[in-house]
Amino acid sequence: MRDDEPVTSSDLENAAQSGAGPGARAGSPPAAGELPGEGADLTAASAGHPPAPPVTRRTVTLGVSLLVTAALAAVALVLPVPYAVRAPGPTQDTLGEQDGRPLIEIEDARTYESSGQLRLTTVSVSGGPGYPVTAGQAVQAWADPTRSVVPVESVFPEETSAKEQKQLSQAEMLTSQESATAAALTELGREVPAVLKVAGAEPGTGADGVVREGDVVVSFEGERVPTYAALIERLAATTPGDDVVLGVERDGEPKDLTVTTGRAEGEDRAVMGVYIDPEYDFPVEVKIQIEDIGGPSAGTMFALGVIDKLTREDEANGARIAGTGTMSPEGVVGPIGGIEQKMHGALRDGATWFLAPEGNCPEVAGNVPAGLRVVSVATLHDAREAMTAIGAGTGDELPTCSQQAS
């Protein structure tokens, strides 16, 4: 056939069968419905691939097993586990505002502005009553250095409902605010009168079976104690093991009670084993406005906030200081839980300094995130001096818990 001759349909059919013709290439697929010839073999073997292995019973069993295992693993990841996950929570500047209102408001006294920040820190906890943690969430938290996974009973009391836990947390926050205010005013040299009601006695102590709930303590060794600080001061001058005379009012009648003091665990100081629930008559009115945060661990930062506002000196002086710790009425900083998460939360929110309770130093050691300086404090006086030194730019010599972690 010449190049200029027309191509007929039969010519196309012949070309298709012979594999040569207009548009034909070596290795073109055969026409539909035809078996390939030797020149058009397109099997996997001719393409350089081994033939597919035959499907056996063992292959099917293995595939089914893998699918079942994957399904079980997926189900396991959503099952609840008896753990709680602690993560960095929000922080709040006690010298700042919340919802447009000062977090700390003080009436009947002159207050002063501050250029720094005193940030209380919190921990976000999941896994409490009514909100269980799944295995998948626990695994994810284990892999996150800013979180921790702990047994749920170490965070939440057993047999406590979510409602009861919230009520307890709110009550602790209110008590913390009162104790912080009393400690702050006492640190500033102001007298804070209080009715010293007995809430009970510690079992096995010299006060057990001697004092009664509802007694009002009015004197110690014959000296009146009009404030909680006065009672603590008198007790501090007592040798552990000595008998002391506690003057109380019981049902409106005066009564002298003899209590044998004991020794505080791990310390060389006397204790009576009497639980005191003070009812304060504050010389100034302090209102602390804060929502959605509970527990007692903000006490130290509340107390520092009150001190900063009531003093002419700008103690923080532009520094961003965060911290944590419970605060007793006599000014003792107590340890708290979740301090690693609180340090990470402080750093996240721009703090460069962190005040940590001395009792938490074993947990702080080796876990300080880079970029954060930690100062160890045991009392409110320690914390106040640290705040002032940091604001003055002389914080480098303050006591620390450990070297910085990389």
Side-chain angles (χ1 to χ4, degrees), residues 245-270:
V245 177
L246 203 62
V248 304
E249 288 184 358
R250 178 179 294 174
D251 299 326
E253 298 292 330
K255 194 174 187 68
D256 286 339
L257 307 175
T258 300
V259 177
T260 303
T261 62
R263 187 182 303 275
E265 184 177 354
E267 301 180 55
D268 188 21
R269 62 181 179 87

Side-chain angles (χ1 to χ4, degrees), residues 60-70:
V60 173
T61 302
L62 179 60
V64 172
S65 298
L66 290 174
L67 288 174
V68 171
T69 301

Side-chain angles (χ1 to χ4, degrees), residues 193-337:
V195 176
L196 306 180
K197 284 190 174 182
V198 174
E202 184 177 354
T205 65
D208 190 13
V210 178
V211 299
R212 294 182 186 175
E213 182 178 353
D215 286 348
V216 177
V217 178
V218 295
S219 67
F220 184 93
E221 287 288 274
E223 294 186 40
R224 291 192 62 79
V225 283
T227 67
Y228 187 81
L231 176 61
I232 297 301
E233 184 180 350
R234 303 288 190 276
L235 184 59
T238 303
T239 301
D242 285 353
D243 288 341
V244 297
V245 177
L246 203 62
V248 304
E249 288 184 358
R250 178 179 294 174
D251 299 326
E253 298 292 330
K255 194 174 187 68
D256 286 339
L257 307 175
T258 300
V259 177
T260 303
T261 62
R263 187 182 303 275
E265 184 177 354
E267 301 180 55
D268 188 21
R269 62 181 179 87
V271 293
M272 292 188 296
V274 180
Y275 297 128
I276 301 292
D277 182 17
E279 294 182 357
Y280 300 105
D281 181 15
F282 292 117
V284 298
E285 186 175 358
V286 178
K287 296 179 181 179
I288 299 178
Q289 312 289 338
I290 192 162
E291 297 180 359
D292 302 325
I293 294 178
S297 66
T300 295
M301 302 312 289
F302 284 146
L304 290 178
V306 172
I307 289 173
D308 193 286
K309 281 180 171 287
L310 285 174
T311 51
R312 186 183 301 273
E313 180 184 6
D314 183 5
E315 288 94 344
N317 192 28
R320 293 188 177 187
I321 306 169
T324 188
T326 63
M327 178 55 60
S328 71
E330 64 268 29
V332 176
V333 178
I336 49 77

Side-chain angles (χ1 to χ4, degrees), residues 38-52:
E38 291 182 0
D41 188 358
L42 297 179
T43 61
S46 68
H49 299 289

Side-chain angles (χ1 to χ4, degrees), residues 9 19 23 35 93 99 118 125 165 198 270 280 319 406:
S9 59
L35 292 176
D93 179 16
D99 298 329
L118 296 173
V125 182
Q165 181 61 38
V198 174
Y280 300 105
S406 59

